[in-house]
């Protein structure tokens, strides 16, 4: 990979902005480190090659005496010697709903868009491609290009943080690949002003999927991605009731969800589009919601769920009070109000206008609205149609580019909502939101139909309109983003067998995509009317998605053969114990799927693949090639259990970590109450979990303060080593903790170590902790929220004959796990208790001491 070209696009600032016009590259030079003068602009380039990865940083200075509009900066490369005759690439769409899938890198390049620049601008960072891009293919944010199904690959992209939108252009030239990364700044540059651009990253390797994952991890680190939030499941009103939803509909489903809590365990109940008085007036409800948002949120919370609400924060219609009061707050285009979309249900003339976040009064308005929504009780906020603010339009402050407009608006929403609220981006240009949102829609809207009705197709954006096939394609194509940039949102499961055009096979395909990728798991059906088979599909999908997500941070799901077809052939999510395998046939005819489990690193297996979600049996011979025949639009989901001889379960507090996180927090923030409840526990008046509830449930510990404390938590000197040893030797390693999922997620991110775990649950509500037991066991005397004996016994039932190791340090939560294990490593009060009982154990000081003995145990087995 060699650097080739450095280019800039700029216009005279006095020229009127036109959505259908973009200047060609007017100045260029060879790309190299150092300073370059290109026309009126000075560029400083810094290249940091590191083996098979290079990172480039750039800044631009207006060296002229007049204002300029900096449209874009181009960094070009040539990939030589790859030897691939037929190149394919991942086309990643600009925003949530934009087409994402694999395509052939042919000579035609990006097809001409049939419906004009404005419509193209809904789904592309560049609404009108400049003439010099004819014959080039394009991908937003990042791309992977290489051989299919496997072979040499390259990944390139922009580590966006809201300064510019990245577009990667690709074209073959003889045996070489030309690759140009363009950052679209689209902002006014004053004389002498300097602007920092986003880092550009290019990497080579032989596994396109892994390269994409590494790129996302680098992007997440660079932009401060919010990846540690707990797994979330929920119910949403949209895909059954749509715009006609009423308060009665929500309350009826709320009652049904409360009554089905054990069978359908969810966290969030979300009110979607249809409650608002008008788009733009998010705090006022229409006549179908007579109680108002606050009372409805209180009812949801009283039922034991987190209230969620939908908004389109930047959208405004003429019927809204906001429009009437503050028409000056809106973006313009050639002197007229700019329309970000057309929506005939929202407005009489279908026009939807867009707020201008370059204005301080608009930012203050956004902060106030979302502060009030959170004060009403909404802890889950879906932010929709976010692309509208990033389209090519005139803002009050022309020094703020389109990506920065979006970023400023999102940061104002976050400032109002606070750090503890869960923000879900939707219809959002992806890169500018990293580090602000907690979750992101990664595909088109699902629909109660597999494909779009041809009569409803809009030329040029057919693949972005609501359809379950398009949603599945995006979910698989962007699996690599989960828990690297945010929590992926695959959109809602529709499990119902009535009021839908989805076949049973198509519903299972949607469920398999959601479950196997491990992102948010939300369903959208009328709960009281679901039949038993539909309820079972929902319950199993929620449980499997949680299981996949629990494999650790970053996410474990990977698309199979991501470059081979437009839609990936499936997903594998694997851990040391095994995992799940989804095989997908999105085509319109019967097809066979074959997967080599040896190549996926899943060999050997302990038994045949176990069908899930009503999937057909698969053929699996001694060569571990899984084969299954799938009808049109059908998927199959399997649990794979690896064959192994030894498994390690490890306590976290005081064992995997140096500090006891829970005890330290209790001493620091509940010192006045701790002696009282500890005494009651010691006298047998309350259980260990009841002690936790009394002390920590309702703890007023701000999330920012908790995060600051977690950054001080040190891991045992051998923590990383034992995880790496287990992975290298094919030994399952799992943390069993009576602590909390949020803390374990955050510590994985802080220390860059990934592990599967079982733990209790921690949520924030009005700035205080709300905790729930993760895996209680009424048959065990431990009385903890996560019974370690119960988890080990469940493991034994699935893996008979495997030797179980337990490592711990405390008598309260570790004792029952130690007594259930074959080999115990103990220190501190656990060692004292086992010694007093005459139980065998092996002492240790750090986890490094354990590894040699594990090696001996593995050799014996």
């Amino acid at each position: 990979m060699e650097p080739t070209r450095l280019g800039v696009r700029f216009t005279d600032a006095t020229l009127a902005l036109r959505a259908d016009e973009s200047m060609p590259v007017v100045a260029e030079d060879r790309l190299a480190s150092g300073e370059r003068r290109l026309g009126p602009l000075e560029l400083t380039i810094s290249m940091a090659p590191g083996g098979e990865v290079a990172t480039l940083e750039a800044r631009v200075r207006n060296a002229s005496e007049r204002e300029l509009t900096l449209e874009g900066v181009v960094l070009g490369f040539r990939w030589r010697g790859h030897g691939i005759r037929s190149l394919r690439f991942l086309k990643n769409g600009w925003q949530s709903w934009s087409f994402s899938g694999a395509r052939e890198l042919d000579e035609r390049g990006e097809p001409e868009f049939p419906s004009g620049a404005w419509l193209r601008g809904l789904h592309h960072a560049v609404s009108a491609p400049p003439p010099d891009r004819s014959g080039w293919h394009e991908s937003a944010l990042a791309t992977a290009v290489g051989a299919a199904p496997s072979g040499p690959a390259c990944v390139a992209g922009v580590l966006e943080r809201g300064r510019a939108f990245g577009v990667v252009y690709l074209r073959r030239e003889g045996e070489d690949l030309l690759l140009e990364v363009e950052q679209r700044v689209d902002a006014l540059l004053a004389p002498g002003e300097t602007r920092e651009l986003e880092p550009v990253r290019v990497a080579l390797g032989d596994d396109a999927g892994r390269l994409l994952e590494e790129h996302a991890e680098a992007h997440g680190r660079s932009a401060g991605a919010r990846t540690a939030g707990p797994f979330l499941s929920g119910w949403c009103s949209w895909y059954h009731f749509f715009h006609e939803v009423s308060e009665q509909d929500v309350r009826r489903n709320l009652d049904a969800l409360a009554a089905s809590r054990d069978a359908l365990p969810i966290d969030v109940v979300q009110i979607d589009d249809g409650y608002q008085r008008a788009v733009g007036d998010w705090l006022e409800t229409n006549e179908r919601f007579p109680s108002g948002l606050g009372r409805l949120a209180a009812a949801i919370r009283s039922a034991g769920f987190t209230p969620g609400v939908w908004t389109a924060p930047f959208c405004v219609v003429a019927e809204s009070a906001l429009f009437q009061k503050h028409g000056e707050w809106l973006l313009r285009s050639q002197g007229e109000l700019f329309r970000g979309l057309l929506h005939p249900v929202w407005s009489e003339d279908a026009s939807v206008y867009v707020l201008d976040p370059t204005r301080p009064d608009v930012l203050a308005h956004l902060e106030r609205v979302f502060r009030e929504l959170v004060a009403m009780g909404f802890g889950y906020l879906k932010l929709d149609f976010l692309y509208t603010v990033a389209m090519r339009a005139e803002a009050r402050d022309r020094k703020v580019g389109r990506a920065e407009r979006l970023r400023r608006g999102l940061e104002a929403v976050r400032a109002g909502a606070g750090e503890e609220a869960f923000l879900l981006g939707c219809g959002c240009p992806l890169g500018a939101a990293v580090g602000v949102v907690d979750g992101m829609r990664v595909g088109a809207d699902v629909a109660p139909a597999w494909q779009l009705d041809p009569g409803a197709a809009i030329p040029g954006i057919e693949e972005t309109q609501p359809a379950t096939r398009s949603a599945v394609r995006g979910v698989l194509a962007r699996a690599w983003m989960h828990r690297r940039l945010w929590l992926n949102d695959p959109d809602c499961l529709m499990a119902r067998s009535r009021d839908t055009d989805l076949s049973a096979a198509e519903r299972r395909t949607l469920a398999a995509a959601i479950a196997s990728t491990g992102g948010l798991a939300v369903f959208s059906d009328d709960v009281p009317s679901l039949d038993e088979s539909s309820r079972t599909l929902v319950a199993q999908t929620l449980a499997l998605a949680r299981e996949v997500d629990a494999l650790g941070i970053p996410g474990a799901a990977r698309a199979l053969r991501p470059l081979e077809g437009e839609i990936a052939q499936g997903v594998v999510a694997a851990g040391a114990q095994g995992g799940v395998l989804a095989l997908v046939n999105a085509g319109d005819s019967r097809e066979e799927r074959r997967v080599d489990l040896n190549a996926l690193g899943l060999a050997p297996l302990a038994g045949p693949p176990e069908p899930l979600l009503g999937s057909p049996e698969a053929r699996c011979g001694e060569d571990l090639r899984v084969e299954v025949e799938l009808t049109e639009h059908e998927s199959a989901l399997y649990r794979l259990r690896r064959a192994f001889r030894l498994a390690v379960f490890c306590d976290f507090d005081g064992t995997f970590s140096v500090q006891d996180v829970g005890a330290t927090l209790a001493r620091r923030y509940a010192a006045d109450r701790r002696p009282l409840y500890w005494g009651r526990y010691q006298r047998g008046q309350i259980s260990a979990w009841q002690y936790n509830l009394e002390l920590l449930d309702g703890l007023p510990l701000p999330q920012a303060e908790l995060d600051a404390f977690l950054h001080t938590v040190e891991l045992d000197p051998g923590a990383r080593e034992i995880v790496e040893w287990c992975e290298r030797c094919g030994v399952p390693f799992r943390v069993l903790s009576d602590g909390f999922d949020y803390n374990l997620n955050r510590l994985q991110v802080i220390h860059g170590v990934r592990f599967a775990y079982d733990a209790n649950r921690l949520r924030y509500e009005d700035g205080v902790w709300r905790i729930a037991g993760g895996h209680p066991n009424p048959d065990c005397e431990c009385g903890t929220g996560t019974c370690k004996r119960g988890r080990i016994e469940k493991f034994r039932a699935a893996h008979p004959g495997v030797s179980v190791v337990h490592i711990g340090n405390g008598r309260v939560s570790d004792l029952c796990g130690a007594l259930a294990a074959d080999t115990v490593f103990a220190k501190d009060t656990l060692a004292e208790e086992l010694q007093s009982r005459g139980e065998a154990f092996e002492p240790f000081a750090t986890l490094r001491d354990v590894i040699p003995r594990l090696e001996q145990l593995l050799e014996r087995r």
Side-chain angles (χ1 to χ4, degrees):
M1 181 72 69
E2 63 182 33
T4 56
R5 182 168 175 252
L6 175 65
V8 292
R9 300 181 194 276
F10 64 92
T11 59
D12 190 307
T14 61
L15 295 179
L17 180 67
R18 294 180 55 189
D20 61 348
E21 186 175 287
S22 182
M23 296 293 291
V25 172
V26 294
E28 62 180 278
D29 199 345
R30 183 173 179 81
L31 176 59
S33 292
E35 295 185 355
R36 295 286 188 280
R37 179 70 180 258
L38 279 74
L41 298 170
E42 289 181 352
L43 285 86
T44 303
I45 306 296
S46 171
M47 287 194 286
E52 294 185 328
V53 179
T55 304
L56 295 86
E57 296 192 1
R59 64 177 183 269
V60 184
R61 178 177 174 270
N62 181 0
S64 75
E65 296 181 356
R66 69 182 191 278
E67 289 185 331
L68 299 172
T69 297
L70 176 62
E71 299 215 8
V73 175
V74 179
L75 305 179
F77 307 87
R78 181 185 296 271
W79 186 20
R80 298 182 182 275
H82 50 72
I84 305 170
R85 289 188 177 182
S86 178
L87 283 168
R88 292 185 63 82
F89 76 106
L90 174 68
K91 179 178 174 60
N92 184 56
W94 179 53
Q95 54 118 315
S96 300
W97 308 322
S98 305
F99 175 94
S100 292
R103 285 184 171 173
E104 182 183 354
L105 194 72
D106 56 32
E107 296 180 355
R108 295 189 298 272
E110 191 75 14
E112 184 175 349
F113 193 80
S115 296
W118 177 83
L119 194 64
R120 191 181 195 274
L122 271 64
H123 290 280
H124 296 79
V126 182
S127 56
D132 59 279
R133 288 306 179 194
S134 177
W136 292 77
H137 291 274
E138 70 176 69
S139 179
L141 185 65
T143 188
V145 59
S150 62
C154 167
V155 164
V158 179
L159 309 183
E160 292 186 23
R161 296 165 293 185
R163 297 174 180 171
F165 291 127
V167 184
V168 185
Y169 292 97
L170 307 110
R171 190 182 73 187
R172 290 205 75 150
E173 187 176 81
E175 297 298 316
D176 300 340
L177 171 73
L178 298 183
L179 184 153
E180 297 194 345
V181 181
E182 182 163 350
Q183 297 195 45
R184 296 296 303 202
V185 179
D186 299 311
L188 194 70
L189 211 58
E193 182 180 355
T194 298
R195 184 173 293 260
E196 298 285 340
L197 300 182
E198 309 280 34
V200 171
R201 185 178 181 276
V202 182
L204 296 175
D206 57 5
D207 184 333
R210 183 59 196 151
L211 287 176
L212 283 167
E213 292 163 1
E214 291 170 350
H215 183 86
E217 289 166 24
H219 189 173
R221 288 192 300 271
S222 172
R226 299 171 66 96
T227 58
F231 174 83
L232 280 178
S233 59
W235 176 86
C236 169
S237 64
W238 176 247
Y239 288 106
H240 185 87
F241 301 104
F242 296 97
H243 292 285
E244 299 306 314
V245 66
S246 69
E247 180 178 332
Q248 182 180 1
D249 295 327
V250 175
R251 289 185 180 272
R252 185 167 52 83
N253 275 271
L254 179 61
D255 291 342
L257 288 164
S260 305
R261 193 182 311 276
D262 292 338
L264 302 175
I266 63 164
D267 307 301
V268 175
V269 171
Q270 186 226 311
I271 308 161
D272 213 281
D273 185 6
Y275 70 88
Q276 67 277 5
R277 192 193 72 79
V279 166
D281 297 340
W282 305 114
L283 304 178
E284 302 173 32
T285 56
N286 56 42
E287 65 280 358
R288 297 194 304 276
F289 284 78
S291 297
L293 284 178
R295 289 184 180 178
L296 192 50
I300 294 170
R301 179 161 289 177
S302 295
F305 304 106
T306 297
V309 69
W310 171 93
T311 64
F314 304 132
C315 294
V316 181
V317 296
E319 292 84 349
S320 68
L322 181 63
F323 181 91
Q324 299 300 322
K325 292 180 181 178
H326 296 293
E328 75 278 10
W329 285 3
L330 305 174
L331 294 174
R332 300 295 200 270
S333 179
Q334 300 184 47
E336 302 293 330
L337 289 178
F338 173 74
R339 293 189 298 184
L341 71 148
L342 299 175
H343 203 309
V345 176
W346 286 358
S347 177
E348 187 174 343
D349 72 350
S351 296
V352 181
Y353 306 111
V354 187
L355 290 173
D356 178 2
T358 73
R359 298 176 58 103
D361 41 12
V362 168
L363 298 179
H365 162 76
L366 290 168
E367 282 194 37
R368 180 185 65 82
V369 167
F370 285 90
R371 186 177 296 111
E372 292 194 27
L373 285 171
V374 170
M376 289 179 187
F378 292 103
Y380 178 96
L381 302 162
K382 179 179 175 181
L383 315 174
D384 211 347
F385 292 92
L386 298 178
Y387 72 87
T388 54
V389 79
M391 294 178 70
R392 195 169 176 87
E394 296 167 3
R396 180 180 180 179
D397 187 348
R398 293 176 61 191
K399 290 185 178 180
V400 180
R402 295 183 295 123
E404 191 176 354
R405 280 205 306 255
L406 171 60
R407 183 76 174 199
R408 286 190 181 188
L410 288 175
E411 287 176 342
V413 171
R414 171 60 74 187
E419 290 298 308
E420 295 161 8
F422 188 97
L423 299 186
L424 173 65
C426 188
C428 183
L430 301 177
V434 179
V436 183
V437 301
D438 302 281
M440 178 66 77
R441 173 74 70 76
V442 291
D445 277 14
V446 297
W450 178 250
Q451 290 180 306
L452 180 68
D453 183 343
I458 301 173
I461 63 169
E462 302 94 333
E463 293 291 347
T464 73
Q465 294 178 254
T468 295
R469 179 185 183 275
S470 297
V472 169
R473 182 189 60 236
V475 170
L476 302 187
R478 290 168 166 166
W480 52 278
M481 298 179 176
H482 179 57
R483 288 212 184 268
R484 294 181 174 89
L485 302 180
W486 42 58
L487 277 68
N488 278 7
D489 170 26
D491 206 9
C492 297
L493 172 66
M494 290 172 291
R496 59 186 180 267
S497 56
R498 296 179 293 177
D499 301 318
T500 182
D501 291 328
L502 291 171
S503 68
E506 291 162 350
R507 294 196 299 275
R508 287 197 301 271
T509 291
L510 178 57
I514 293 170
S516 64
T517 52
L520 305 185
V522 179
F523 76 105
S524 189
D525 295 299
D526 184 47
V527 179
S529 66
L530 285 178
D531 58 31
E532 193 58 36
S533 64
S534 299
R535 285 174 173 265
T536 299
L537 182 62
V538 172
Q540 292 179 348
T541 303
L542 298 181
L544 287 168
R546 183 182 294 276
E547 179 182 321
V548 169
D549 184 64
L551 290 172
I553 300 175
R558 178 181 292 186
L560 297 173
R561 299 178 175 179
L563 300 183
E564 186 168 353
E566 176 190 306
I567 300 179
Q569 295 193 4
V571 174
V572 62
Q577 291 181 212
V580 298
L581 171 69
L583 300 175
V584 177
N585 175 19
D588 296 331
S589 60
R590 184 181 294 272
E591 292 186 17
E592 190 166 65
R593 289 285 178 264
R594 300 182 182 88
V595 177
D596 183 351
L597 298 182
N598 281 297
L600 296 179
L602 284 164
L605 286 188
E610 175 192 350
L612 305 171
L613 303 183
S615 300
E617 296 280 348
R619 301 182 298 277
C620 185
E622 292 184 2
D623 60 357
L624 293 183
R625 294 182 184 273
V626 174
E627 298 180 354
V628 63
E629 196 169 83
L630 301 173
T631 61
E632 63 179 23
H633 312 163
E634 184 183 21
S635 292
L637 190 67
Y638 302 98
R639 177 174 282 111
L640 307 174
R641 302 189 191 279
R642 278 178 167 157
F644 44 83
R645 298 169 291 166
L646 186 70
V648 176
F649 294 90
C650 184
D651 170 54
F652 189 84
D653 291 310
T655 303
F656 198 82
S657 66
V658 174
Q659 300 97 319
D660 187 318
V661 174
T664 304
L665 289 171
R667 286 194 299 269
R668 185 174 297 184
Y669 296 100
D672 56 333
R673 295 177 291 123
R674 188 168 176 266
L676 170 65
Y677 294 116
W678 182 248
R680 293 185 62 194
Y681 167 73
Q682 287 185 313
R683 293 190 295 272
Q685 295 172 332
I686 57 175
S687 68
W689 179 244
Q690 288 169 332
Y691 168 79
N692 270 336
L693 282 173
E694 295 286 358
L695 207 62
L696 300 177
D697 193 46
L699 183 70
L701 175 56
Q703 193 170 21
E705 196 169 339
L706 172 60
D707 281 355
F709 164 74
L710 292 175
H711 272 86
T712 70
V713 173
E714 301 174 24
L715 299 186
D716 179 275
R720 193 182 307 275
E721 294 174 31
I722 196 170
V723 170
E724 292 172 351
W725 180 88
C726 287
E727 183 175 350
R728 188 168 60 251
C729 297
V731 173
F733 177 90
R734 193 174 192 89
V735 164
L736 298 182
S737 174
D738 203 33
F740 300 100
D741 53 3
Y742 177 88
N743 298 340
L744 297 182
N745 284 353
R746 196 73 189 93
L747 288 165
Q748 286 183 74
V749 173
I750 290 168
H751 290 285
V753 58
R754 174 179 165 185
F755 51 81
Y757 68 82
D758 293 313
N760 302 315
R761 302 175 66 194
L762 166 62
R763 305 289 185 274
Y764 270 92
E765 183 179 296
D766 296 332
V768 303
W769 280 24
R770 291 300 176 203
I771 63 175
H775 306 276
N777 181 6
D779 298 326
C780 184
E781 295 180 355
C782 70
T784 59
T786 292
C787 173
K788 298 181 182 182
R789 188 191 93 184
R791 305 314 294 162
I792 290 174
E793 288 178 347
K794 183 177 181 180
F795 171 85
R796 283 192 188 281
H799 304 278
V802 174
S803 182
V804 173
V805 171
H806 183 272
I807 311 169
N809 79 312
R811 64 162 55 94
V812 175
S813 67
D814 286 328
L815 179 60
C816 68
L819 295 176
D822 299 303
T823 304
V824 180
F825 294 88
K827 64 178 180 178
D828 303 336
T829 58
L830 176 61
E832 294 171 5
E833 182 66 24
L834 292 173
Q835 189 169 22
S836 70
R837 290 171 174 250
E839 298 286 346
F841 69 93
E842 300 200 27
F844 73 102
T846 76
L847 293 174
R848 283 179 179 155
D849 304 331
V850 176
I851 295 174
R853 284 292 293 122
L854 292 179
E855 291 174 342
Q856 294 173 5
L857 290 172
L858 189 60
E859 289 173 3
R860 288 183 200 165
R861 299 292 297 178

